[in-house]
Amino acid sequence: MTDVHIVGAGIHAFGRHDESSGLDQGVFALRQALDDVGLDWDQMQFGFGGSSAAGNADAVMPRMGLTGMQFINVANGCATGGSALLSGYWAIKSGEFDLGVVVGFDKHPRGAFNAEPSEWGLPEWYGQTGLMLTTQFFANKINRYMGLHGITPTALGRVAEKAYENGAKADHSWRKQPVDLDTIMGSQMVSDPLTKYMFCSPAEGGVALILASDRKMRELGLAGPKVKGAAVRTRVAGSFEVFAPSLEIERGPSPTQIASKAAYEMAGVAPGDIDVAQIQDTESGAEIMHMAENGFCKDGEQEQLLADGATRLDGTLPINTDGGCLACGEPIGASGLRQVYENVQQLRGRADGRQVEGARLGYSQVYGAPGISGVVVLEA
Amino acid sequence: MPQRPIAEDLIRQTAAGPRLLGGRRCSDGKVVFPLPQGAEGAQYEAMELADEGTLWSFTVQRFRPKSPPYAGADTDQSFKPFALGYVELAGQVIVESRLKVEDFADLKVGMPMRMTQVAFPTVSDPDTFTYAFEPA
């Protein structure tokens, strides 16, 4: 079977853009990705696209050109972008196509996502009594983890400090100002132990990636990182997920743990081989727990690793080199693709100001509701 | 004590005190909370859950949740932060609950907890209560 490569990448800066619709931002990213490699839209044989709150992804077609190509809208919760990429990967891997595009864009209202109990199959009282907030889930999960594994609030602060430091160095990020540890720790408490600066916000943005088979890439005289492993997995019984009035006493693995394992096996690499990683940081605690869930350390080792700066740009395993969700915000349709975009830039040596020297293996993991995780391993 | 529970089939008043109403799945005995309603409920038999357990995790809600779905009678100004978390009922299930505690700093994972009831006036009914757990 053929290998699949990412030969082109485009992005519309994340953040708040009152003048642009989500669709505008998706189209911008598509055009930039095509320009990146000097290809035309009518050369694209397929498209997979996702948007959670900004309309249909295939609304890019009239703007880009009605070429008759196969285009499929992807909707898969917080892993929408990651799922679009996986769909494109299989489309080429199967031998059916050899050149196509995946796109993700979004534009969310300000503030935390509103949740309706009935849409989640939950009773009204659950929302009425104030138990239906995603922020509470994240706080509950990290609070237990901190108690069991000796993680301190300072470690949470260090994750956010690093995020804003890296975000200030990435053109496509939203938050451009470094924030010092004291400010992060002293900012408004949202849901203990997580403060305002430890949470990401819903945002806007768009990302597009052009995929090609190994043969097509060479035929066109292009180059780009190889997709070495890719997997999306969902929750199993005993996984702690958002909006759960009850949990089973017998705990199970998280969707991230099983997606991660599958992607490593597919890629034939181990966590220790990874040079740069983008992992889901909806809030600071998520990055800490995901360090372990993705195999980069054992539970509890994060405290020392963060104190040593191991995950900073000059550390032993740089994590979220563009500032992650904390500094870029989380437009659901685009967020997972942003991680892959950042790894593509890192592996092509184009991450100006935040380049991890000599990076050859890039790892990304997107996670979210209702308990879904998508992992991609790229090789330069 | 207020007159009405926030929902039917959530809390059962017994001679020994109030109990949360869970469900035991007929096919394999798996325990869930709350008791599933409607078509799904046919696969479960109602069971009174234990009123004592241990704190599994917790947090504090620091700002007034968005309405809807939140239906508290308070306002952004009058809202008082409340603790919530998960309580493990040995051999049954881990339930999410409001936590009644004088000082949030007293909460520790693993501490013994006991079920209670707390007033929860809503926008449509000032005379409502819901369940909670408090340190035992």
Side-chain angles (χ1 to χ4, degrees):
Chain A
M1 278 194 291
T2 181
D3 285 328
V4 179
H5 294 258
I6 300 178
V7 297
I11 194 164
H12 183 286
F14 281 33
R16 287 282 171 212
H17 311 288
D18 291 342
E19 305 305 310
S20 302
S21 67
L23 178 59
D24 289 338
Q25 297 173 51
V27 168
F28 181 96
L30 279 169
R31 290 187 175 137
Q32 193 182 78
L34 291 167
D35 286 348
D36 183 33
V37 280
L39 294 177
D40 293 319
W41 176 248
D42 61 11
Q43 291 174 272
M44 298 298 114
Q45 300 158 1
F46 66 83
F48 289 93
S51 158
S52 167
N56 301 327
D58 70 352
V60 302
M61 300 294 282
R63 304 246 198 126
M64 296 302 298
L66 296 169
T67 62
M69 70 192 254
Q70 170 187 299
F71 194 102
I72 295 177
N73 291 325
V74 177
N76 206 12
C78 288
T80 291
S83 301
L85 176 60
L86 215 63
S87 304
Y89 170 79
W90 288 325
I92 291 176
K93 199 83 180 172
S94 70
E96 195 67 28
F97 299 102
D98 56 18
L99 184 65
V101 65
V102 297
V103 60
F105 57 86
D106 240 315
K107 187 179 181 88
H108 300 284
R110 287 163 206 276
F113 296 112
N114 260 22
E116 271 303 316
S118 60
E119 290 178 9
W120 291 74
L122 292 168
E124 292 300 323
W125 65 260
Y126 187 65
Q128 288 168 344
T129 57
L131 296 181
M132 197 168 181
L133 286 88
T134 54
T135 42
Q136 295 171 350
F137 158 71
F138 289 115
N140 266 310
K141 191 175 175 199
I142 188 61
N143 221 11
R144 176 169 173 80
Y145 191 87
M146 290 166 77
L148 290 180
H149 302 294
I151 303 293
T152 65
T154 305
L156 297 172
R158 287 196 169 111
V159 169
E161 183 186 34
K162 169 184 65 70
Y164 300 122
E165 190 177 294
N166 292 355
K169 294 171 179 165
D171 289 340
H172 62 260
S173 74
W174 179 11
R175 313 290 187 190
K176 301 290 189 192
Q177 295 299 320
V179 182
D180 65 73
L181 188 59
D182 287 345
T183 304
I184 291 163
M185 303 294 289
S187 66
Q188 185 192 2
M189 190 63 82
V190 173
S191 199
D192 304 38
L194 299 167
T195 67
K196 184 181 162 189
Y197 279 107
M198 296 176 188
F199 273 102
C200 82
S201 300
E204 308 169 17
V207 180
L209 302 171
I210 296 174
L211 310 184
S213 67
D214 194 43
R215 188 183 60 79
K216 189 72 174 178
M217 179 178 73
R218 280 186 274 113
E219 183 188 306
L220 293 168
L222 301 174
K226 179 165 86 177
V227 181
K228 221 170 152 55
V232 169
R233 292 293 185 272
T234 57
R235 61 203 185 281
V236 298
S239 174
F240 183 21
E241 303 296 340
V242 70
F243 303 152
S246 68
L247 306 170
E248 296 177 32
I249 290 175
E250 190 176 329
R251 309 308 301 149
S254 73
T256 295
Q257 284 169 308
I258 54 177
S260 174
K261 189 164 179 286
Y264 282 127
E265 278 174 11
M266 195 169 162
V269 302
D273 300 327
I274 303 297
D275 299 309
V276 58
Q278 321 297 334
I279 62 180
Q280 181 74 28
D281 59 334
T282 319
E283 38 75 38
S284 291
E287 180 169 318
I288 290 177
M289 293 181 284
H290 287 149
M291 284 169 68
E293 290 183 28
N294 288 295
F296 297 126
C297 66
K298 292 193 170 64
D299 290 323
E301 290 179 352
Q302 299 96 327
E303 184 73 21
Q304 191 60 45
L305 288 170
L306 287 161
D308 293 344
T311 59
R312 294 164 60 114
L313 288 175
D314 58 357
T316 48
L317 177 62
I319 288 178
N320 292 334
T321 47
D322 64 352
C325 292
L326 287 175
C328 294
E330 192 185 18
I332 287 176
S335 200
L337 293 179
R338 176 204 35 90
Q339 298 176 321
V340 177
Y341 171 89
E342 174 64 7
N343 275 342
V344 169
Q345 297 302 87
Q346 289 285 350
L347 300 185
R348 295 198 296 189
R350 296 188 190 176
D352 296 337
R354 60 186 193 286
Q355 181 66 45
V356 176
E357 291 309 323
R360 290 202 48 78
L361 276 178
Y363 182 99
S364 61
Q365 172 247 336
V366 61
Y367 162 83
I372 184 163
S373 199
V375 172
V376 179
V377 179
L378 297 184
E379 182 181 47
Chain B
M1 188 66 198
Q3 295 298 306
R4 286 173 288 279
I6 186 79
E8 296 303 319
D9 292 328
L10 176 62
I11 307 166
R12 181 178 285 173
Q13 307 298 333
T14 75
R19 297 288 185 272
L20 285 177
L21 210 52
R24 190 192 299 275
R25 191 156 63 190
C26 304
S27 60
D28 61 1
K30 179 188 164 176
V31 179
V32 299
F33 169 79
L35 175 63
Q37 303 291 308
E40 178 72 3
Q43 297 180 39
Y44 292 81
E45 57 177 9
M47 73 177 280
E48 293 163 11
L49 298 179
D51 66 333
E52 291 190 338
T54 55
L55 191 59
W56 190 84
S57 191
F58 62 93
T59 184
V60 178
Q61 179 61 36
R62 294 282 175 178
F63 58 90
R64 187 180 186 276
K66 278 187 183 175
S67 298
Y70 183 66
D74 47 16
T75 64
D76 285 343
Q77 286 69 40
S78 67
F79 173 80
K80 289 199 170 53
F82 64 90
L84 67 136
Y86 286 86
V87 177
E88 179 170 342
L89 308 177
Q92 295 183 339
V93 67
I94 302 167
V95 296
E96 188 172 12
S97 175
R98 282 181 167 241
L99 303 174
K100 183 182 169 191
V101 62
E102 291 292 317
D103 184 351
F104 298 140
D106 291 342
L107 294 170
K108 298 278 184 296
V109 169
M111 72 192 292
M113 304 295 284
R114 173 176 54 221
M115 192 205 151
T116 183
Q117 298 176 117
V118 292
F120 184 73
T122 68
V123 279
S124 57
D125 185 351
D127 209 19
T128 309
F129 67 90
T130 188
Y131 70 97
F133 277 78
E134 62 185 352

